[in-house]
Amino acid sequence: MPTCPPPTQDSAVSITLNESEVEIVAIRAQGAGGQNVNKVSNAVHLRFDVGASSLPEEIKARLLARRDQRLSSDGIIVIKAQKHRSLERNREDALVRLREMIAAAAFVPVQRRPTKPSRSSQRKRVDSKVKRGLVKLQRGRVSE
């Protein structure tokens, strides 16, 4: 597998997800149903083991460091999809949510370098505060 540089804000790196690493199990959906409620399994449980996947190591580390309720203590992502009525649409929905989660972990924000305000900006700030104070000072009682 070719290695790619870590993504930044400007460059979007596409990460391929092996379908063989994803385990999808059909389950019965929760909530109100109808005549088919006890016969049809339309919801999906998607399980993805982050540690055993073929993702780059830095993305694995960022995924495992996230505080997400879908990530178990064993490093397995569990996504339950039951939004749609068909099994296939729920399967696609779960895969899309997994890809979004991996893409969010692949994004590396640019480090901010702290800077000092310039002298002219400091001067402008103080001048505007003095001017505002003078405006407020003139709002006092009018003496005759």
Side-chain angles (χ1 to χ4, degrees):
M1 179 176 212
T3 59
C4 54
T8 59
Q9 281 183 337
D10 298 332
S11 66
V13 175
S14 63
I15 296 169
T16 57
L17 182 65
N18 287 340
E19 298 285 329
S20 61
E21 297 174 350
V22 179
E23 177 188 342
I24 297 178
V25 179
I27 59 170
R28 282 193 284 233
Q30 292 177 331
Q35 294 175 341
N36 277 344
V37 70
N38 293 323
K39 295 188 283 184
V40 181
S41 298
N42 284 340
V44 167
H45 255 171
L46 180 142
R47 296 174 64 82
F48 180 71
D49 190 358
V50 176
S53 68
S54 62
L55 294 173
E57 290 299 322
E58 58 269 3
I59 295 178
K60 283 184 191 181
R62 273 191 237 113
L63 265 175
L64 293 173
R66 293 176 71 95
R67 295 179 51 100
D68 197 323
Q69 65 184 10
R70 298 171 289 187
L71 182 65
S72 71
S73 59
D74 301 331
I76 297 174
I77 296 174
V78 179
I79 296 176
K80 183 176 182 180
Q82 60 180 9
K83 193 185 311 182
H84 304 285
R85 289 178 60 128
S86 74
L87 179 70
E88 194 57 38
R89 287 183 68 190
N90 282 329
R91 182 180 179 280
E92 287 300 317
D93 181 41
L95 285 171
V96 164
R97 285 165 39 194
L98 177 64
R99 286 189 189 105
E100 287 173 354
M101 194 172 176
I102 292 172
F107 176 74
V108 180
V110 176
Q111 286 288 334
R112 181 188 175 275
R113 290 180 292 151
T115 57
K116 288 184 176 179
S118 65
R119 259 178 221 240
S120 66
S121 68
Q122 288 177 352
R123 195 176 314 115
K124 284 180 189 175
R125 178 180 163 271
V126 171
D127 289 346
S128 69
K129 287 171 75 74
V130 168
K131 185 177 176 183
R132 184 73 183 149
L134 291 174
V135 167
K136 289 184 174 187
L137 189 64
Q138 292 174 353
R139 290 185 186 158
R141 278 185 189 256
V142 178
S143 59
E144 292 183 46

